[in-house]
Amino acid sequence: MANVVMNRANDAQFPTEICDVVYQAKLKENWKGNMVPIRNQCQFSWYCDGKSDTPTDSTTWMESLYIAELVLSGQYPDITNGSLWYHADFVSPYWAPYLTRVVTIDNHIFYK
């Protein structure tokens, strides 16, 4: 997933800043007057799936920070071969037939 975020940040179709890529979503105003993402209407489902983003496993959290550092510094290869989109293999998004399937990694399918 990190590779897709980086690929998008480097592609003219998407925002250039990593955070803008991650937080790209349809928004609505909540009862406090704040703009919040609409559940399940984000580019990355893990951003607006309604689940807590607070880490609960220190070991896994530290490992994720290490991997993020490797990706950001260019030391981790792009295992998605430049993919800009992906989905889990148990869903069938409407857009998948219009893209070129690149690679399957575990239970995720990646596209250009």
Side-chain angles (χ1 to χ4, degrees):
M1 301 358 152
N3 291 137
V4 171
V5 171
M6 296 303 290
N7 293 340
R8 285 185 176 197
N10 291 312
D11 187 284
Q13 298 175 77
F14 299 95
T16 56
E17 298 295 322
I18 293 169
C19 288
D20 293 339
V21 169
V22 171
Y23 299 133
Q24 193 173 15
K26 290 184 181 178
L27 303 174
K28 68 177 181 179
E29 188 173 341
N30 70 5
W31 64 277
K32 293 182 179 179
N34 300 322
M35 297 305 289
V36 296
I38 299 172
R39 189 173 187 169
N40 300 321
Q41 298 220 6
C42 300
Q43 292 293 312
F44 297 100
S45 59
W46 39 264
Y47 169 55
C48 65
D49 59 7
K51 297 178 183 176
S52 173
D53 292 326
T54 303
T56 58
D57 176 351
S58 297
T59 302
T60 304
W61 175 243
M62 294 307 292
E63 183 178 349
S64 70
L65 293 176
Y66 175 69
I67 292 169
E69 183 178 319
L70 292 176
V71 171
L72 288 169
S73 67
Q75 297 178 60
Y76 189 84
D78 181 3
I79 61 174
T80 72
N81 298 318
S83 293
L84 297 172
W85 295 272
Y86 72 93
H87 65 82
D89 63 4
F90 55 84
V91 296
S92 298
Y94 71 89
W95 47 261
Y98 302 99
L99 301 174
T100 302
R101 189 174 179 159
V102 178
V103 66
T104 300
I105 302 170
D106 294 329
N107 67 332
H108 287 84
I109 305 168
F110 294 80
Y111 301 84
K112 285 187 182 177

